Amino acid sequence: MAKAKEITGLDCEANVLDWADKVLRVRFGEILEKREMALHSESIEGVHDMRVATRRLRSALRDFAPLMKKKPIKKSKKDLKQITDALGAARDQDVAIIALEKLRKKSRVENIKNGIAELIEQRRDLREQAAIGLPEILSATALEDLQKCFDKAVDEAVKHKKTAISFNKAGRDVVGKSLKEFCALSDHIYEPFIDEPLHELRIAAKRLRYAVELYTVCWGKQIEPFAKEIAEMQNFLGEVHDADVWLESLSESLRNGDDNRANIWLLSEFVEKRTKNYRAALKLWSDWKNTDFIGRLQAIIVRTKGDG
């Protein structure tokens, strides 16, 4: 995953809206920088990196939303979600193809390998279909128009509202809120066979991580290890969710009578993969409890200066 561009040049004790203005424009610029790679690169990482860039911007908009006028940025948020969804449809197939190719190499049974090869071709067809709309939605003209609307919306949302708190104080509020939301869902880690609650916990971990990363520029090295560990939790839970999607799809195929050996073998492999990643997430959560991870993160938030 491409690292977010570091944002510098403003005092962390400055008005949060000064920061919001700069952060949002830099994050939008990152989307524009990823366009060529997403459309023309042979590497699948181009689509992934642009999708991550849009998600980072949308996360920043979510975190700054309580401090800004909401109406001006409403349309931009909708347009950005449309881009994220289009990239996500292509990325989902890329991830599926990678997973199937790895498993095909793992199998030593020829008819299973052949069955997986057929599934890979089906996924490639779906990938081509998902990519059909990308040139239009990511055209230079479309993104230029979106940028103009976005810049105008930010001007109105940020510069025409009076907010007295500092970036540091806003960070304490935003990260504190995201941490509270994550903790409220944390008991879902003990519900291994219910996929939706675990998925909700993953989304909460992602939002917490993005919030922490947004304020790393002010909180520095003391907060960086927390962002990395939260990213680990997000990754483990993400792998669990991906396996759940596969298990649902493969189970449906088997229920419909498509009980070829490849589907049966893949079902067992994804059960194993899900178990492995769920176990890793559970262990990490146990480590967090033993080391008071949440308490230490809360302490950093409280210690941060800048009451605005």
Side-chain angles (χ1 to χ4, degrees), residues 12-296:
C12 291
E13 301 304 324
N15 189 298
V16 65
L17 293 183
D18 292 337
W19 268 101
D21 183 88
K22 186 167 185 176
V23 167
L24 295 176
R25 295 181 199 278
V26 170
R27 292 288 175 257
F28 193 95
E30 287 179 291
I31 294 175
L32 299 180
E33 291 172 4
K34 308 297 182 186
R35 174 184 172 274
E36 288 296 323
M37 289 288 288
L39 283 176
H40 305 301
S41 173
E42 293 182 1
S43 169
I44 63 172
E45 293 308 308
V47 165
H48 177 53
D49 288 349
M50 188 173 187
R51 184 188 181 205
V52 170
T54 62
R55 284 164 56 179
R56 282 195 178 113
L57 174 56
R58 291 175 63 209
S59 179
L61 281 168
R62 177 179 180 270
D63 289 341
F64 287 129
L67 306 169
M68 303 188 301
K69 292 175 66 176
K70 295 179 176 61
K71 188 175 180 180
I73 59 174
K74 186 175 181 180
K75 185 179 185 306
S76 292
K77 289 172 70 175
K78 182 179 179 180
D79 291 339
L80 288 167
K81 185 178 187 303
Q82 184 180 15
I83 293 174
T84 306
D85 290 345
L87 292 167
R91 175 63 180 172
D92 287 348
Q93 300 310 321
D94 288 335
V95 172
I97 291 167
I98 291 171
L100 288 172
E101 286 177 338
K102 286 181 179 178
L103 289 169
R104 184 172 182 270
K105 292 178 181 178
K106 180 179 178 180
S107 175
R108 295 293 180 263
V109 180
E110 197 61 30
N111 62 349
I112 290 179
K113 292 172 74 73
N114 292 337
I116 296 175
E118 291 178 10
L119 292 175
I120 291 172
E121 288 307 310
Q122 292 173 17
R123 290 289 182 164
R124 284 178 176 155
D125 289 341
L126 292 172
R127 175 62 167 84
E128 288 182 8
Q129 294 174 29
I132 290 174
L134 287 181
E136 180 178 354
I137 199 170
L138 300 183
S139 70
T141 300
L143 289 183
E144 285 172 6
D145 290 343
L146 178 56
Q147 184 178 25
K148 289 177 183 177
C149 291
F150 184 77
D151 286 343
K152 183 178 179 181
V154 171
D155 281 341
E156 187 175 349
V158 171
K159 295 183 178 179
H160 292 216
K161 184 173 181 179
K162 295 181 180 179
T163 299
I165 67 172
S166 70
F167 186 67
N168 262 334
K169 174 61 169 62
R172 289 166 58 184
D173 295 343
V174 167
V175 177
K177 179 182 177 183
S178 295
L179 182 59
K180 185 177 180 180
E181 290 173 354
F182 177 82
C183 290
L185 296 170
S186 62
D187 278 352
H188 291 330
I189 197 73
Y190 303 121
E191 300 171 357
F193 302 114
I194 310 178
D195 58 339
E196 192 58 35
L198 286 175
H199 182 50
E200 291 176 0
L201 184 60
R202 181 187 75 87
I203 296 300
K206 179 183 69 175
R207 288 175 174 171
L208 174 59
R209 172 190 151 212
Y210 282 156
V212 169
E213 288 179 345
L214 181 60
Y215 292 92
T216 298
V217 65
C218 286
W219 299 351
K221 294 187 181 298
Q222 63 176 339
I223 203 75
E224 288 178 2
F226 290 89
K228 290 179 180 178
E229 290 201 38
I230 296 166
E232 275 191 84
M233 178 64 77
Q234 178 191 339
N235 180 64
F236 292 142
L237 294 175
E239 292 288 347
V240 169
H241 176 67
D242 288 348
D244 283 331
V245 173
W246 275 110
L247 293 174
E248 182 179 354
S249 174
L250 291 165
S251 297
E252 183 67 23
S253 294
L254 291 168
R255 281 193 294 269
N256 290 336
D258 189 8
D259 58 348
N260 62 68
R261 289 190 67 185
N263 280 347
I264 295 171
W265 184 80
L266 286 171
L267 191 69
S268 67
E269 288 294 313
F270 281 109
V271 167
E272 182 180 339
K273 183 177 181 180
R274 187 190 192 279
T275 302
K276 176 183 176 182
N277 282 283
Y278 171 73
R279 184 183 295 120
L282 191 60
K283 181 181 182 303
L284 182 57
W285 178 248
S286 177
D287 291 343
W288 284 6
K289 292 184 72 175
N290 290 334
T291 61
D292 193 24
F293 179 90
I294 300 299
R296 288 185 291 116

